[in-house]
Amino acid sequence: MTKIKGVISALLVSYNSDGTLDEAGTRNIIRYNLEQNKIDGLYIGGSTGENFLIDTDTKKRIFKLAAEEAKGKCALIAQVGGINLLESLELAKYVKELDAYDALSAVTPFYYKFSFAEIKEYYNQIIAAADMDMIIYSIPFLTGVNLSLSQFGELYDNPRVIGVKFTAADFYLLERLRFAYPDKLILSGFDEMLFPALVYKVDGAIGSTYNLNAPLAKAIFAAVAEGNNDKALTLQNKMNNFISAVLDNGLYQTLKECLKLAGVDAQMCVRPPMSQLSTSQKEKAVEIWQNLKADLPQ
Ligand SMILES: CC(=O)N[C@H](C=O)[C@@H](O)[C@H](O)[C@H](O)CO
Ligand SMILES: CC(=O)C(=O)O
C-alpha cells in the first residue's frame, strides 16, 4: 500500500469531440503526470475528470486504464461518490476488483438536502460494499454540504474513514480537524491555498492544476518543510499567477490546452454541457502556458 501524501493530481481526462472517452489521450495525461510531474498520487473520478457528467461504464473504463498505467507507481484514489448510491456501490466493488487503488473517496451527496444520518449511512454503505479505506470529499462551494467538526468526528468513528479531501477556505475548521484528529489524513483541495494549508500541516494536496504545475507545488512543500515561508510564499505567488489566469480563461479547458502545449498527445475536449475553448481563449492559453513554463523550477 502506497502512502497517501504529497502532491496528488486530480486527473484531467481527455474526451473526443463527440464526448466519448479518449482512452489513448487519457493514458498520455497519466504518463505525463508520472514522468514529467513525478507526482505522488492520482485522484481519479473527481470534479477535474468531469466525473459528474459521464456514465457508469465510462467511469469504470477510466478507473481501469488508470490502474493499468499507474499501479504501483504512485498512490491511487478512486472517487466513486455521487447522488446515485447504487452506482457508487457498483463502482466501489469494481475498484476493489481492480486491486490497484489505495483508497476510495466519495463526494458528500449533493443536490437534495440529505440529512447527516443519510450522509453517514451513504459512507458506511460504500465502505462496506468494497471493504476499502475511504477519504471523504468535502467541497461545500459546489455541494452546499458543510460538515461540522463533530460530524467529521462521527464519520471518523468508522475506522475505514481515513481522512478528508478538504476543498474549502475554512482554515479554522482545518486547524480544528488537524488538532482533534491528528491521525486522520487531510488533503488540501484548493491549489491556490496550498502554502497556508501546509502551514496548518496538511498531509498532502489533491488538485487539478498539479497536472501542470506539480514542480511548483513540490517546491512549496519543500520550502515549508525547511521552514522557509518567504520562499514558499514567493512560489505560491507564481502558482497563483497561473491559477488565476486559468480560472479566468476556463478552468479544465485551459488546463487541458496547456497539457497539449506541453506535448501531451490527446484530443483534450471537455464533456458537454461544458464548452470548448474559442480561438481567442486558445491563444490566451498559449500565453498562460509560456508564463507558467518560465516559472517552473528546473
Ligand atoms: C472544483 C475543483 O476543480 N477543485 C479542485 C480540487 O478540489 C481544485 O484543484 C481547483 O480546481 C483549483 O484549486 C482551482 O480553483
Ligand atoms: C481535486 C479535484 O479537483 C477533483 O475533485 O477532481
Side-chain angles (χ1 to χ4, degrees):
M1 169 140 180
T2 319
K3 196 160 177 352
I4 297 171
K5 63 172 174 48
V7 179
I8 299 170
S9 288
L11 185 70
L12 288 158
V13 172
S14 174
Y15 296 96
N16 297 307
S17 58
D18 64 0
T20 56
L21 177 65
D22 169 19
E23 275 215 22
T26 303
R27 287 178 193 271
N28 288 336
I29 298 176
I30 294 173
R31 291 185 195 138
Y32 184 82
N33 269 295
L34 291 168
E35 289 156 22
Q36 296 291 317
N37 288 331
K38 307 211 167 12
I39 37 95
D40 300 300
L42 284 171
Y43 188 84
I44 315 293
S47 318
T48 304
E50 299 160 63
N51 177 70
F52 305 111
L53 308 178
I54 63 180
D55 57 75
T56 311
D57 182 57
T58 307
K59 291 178 190 182
K60 287 184 179 172
R61 286 170 63 202
I62 296 168
F63 287 138
K64 184 155 187 281
L65 71 84
E68 288 166 356
E69 293 296 330
K71 180 176 179 176
K73 296 184 180 161
C74 69
L76 279 175
I77 305 167
Q79 197 299 119
V80 299
I83 60 167
N84 176 350
L85 179 55
L86 296 185
E87 185 202 47
S88 298
L89 299 177
E90 181 183 335
L91 291 174
K93 287 179 193 148
Y94 182 75
V95 167
K96 169 80 172 189
E97 277 169 24
L98 288 173
D99 193 26
Y101 285 80
D102 298 283
L104 298 174
S105 182
V107 69
T108 53
F110 49 89
Y111 188 78
Y112 298 107
K113 302 293 173 202
F114 299 105
S115 69
F116 178 67
E118 288 167 335
I119 293 173
K120 190 173 162 184
E121 178 61 17
Y122 158 97
Y123 281 108
N124 290 338
Q125 282 200 31
I126 297 172
I127 292 164
D131 192 24
M132 285 180 71
D133 288 344
M134 167 64 66
I135 296 168
I136 297 161
Y137 180 10
S138 176
I139 181 160
F141 96 98
L142 291 182
T143 59
V145 179
N146 282 283
L147 297 171
S148 67
L149 183 66
S150 64
Q151 288 173 337
F152 273 107
E154 271 196 57
L155 295 174
Y156 286 160
D157 283 343
N158 183 335
R160 279 292 200 188
V161 181
I162 58 169
V164 60
K165 169 163 130 58
F166 188 93
T167 307
D170 186 344
F171 282 92
Y172 178 36
L173 179 58
L174 180 57
E175 182 275 336
R176 289 289 83 188
L177 280 170
R178 180 79 298 169
F179 185 76
Y181 308 106
D183 298 330
K184 300 291 184 184
L185 295 174
I186 303 180
L187 303 164
S188 174
F190 271 132
D191 317 2
E192 49 276 53
M193 300 174 210
L194 174 61
F195 163 51
L198 285 169
V199 172
Y200 277 76
K201 299 201 183 299
V202 298
D203 301 276
I206 301 174
S208 62
T209 71
Y210 305 141
N211 286 271
L212 280 307
N213 65 18
L216 266 179
K218 286 189 159 225
I220 295 174
F221 270 79
V224 174
E226 67 197 25
N228 193 341
N229 283 352
D230 285 343
K231 183 176 174 192
L233 179 56
T234 301
L235 292 163
Q236 184 78 60
N237 291 146
K238 290 182 178 178
M239 191 146 108
N240 288 3
N241 289 339
F242 173 68
I243 294 175
S244 64
V246 165
L247 287 171
D248 284 349
N249 201 52
L251 176 61
Y252 306 127
Q253 295 92 332
T254 304
L255 291 175
K256 288 198 242 192
E257 190 65 21
C258 288
L259 277 177
K260 233 190 212 178
L261 296 165
V264 179
D265 185 14
Q267 296 303 310
M268 300 297 188
C269 293
V270 287
R271 279 282 295 207
M274 290 192 191
S275 58
Q276 318 301 332
L277 292 182
S278 67
T279 308
S280 65
Q281 285 169 313
K282 281 191 180 174
E283 284 165 13
K284 184 73 191 168
V286 174
E287 186 190 318
I288 292 171
W289 168 241
Q290 291 305 332
N291 289 341
L292 175 65
K293 226 165 75 172
D295 276 340
L296 285 179
Q298 293 315 306

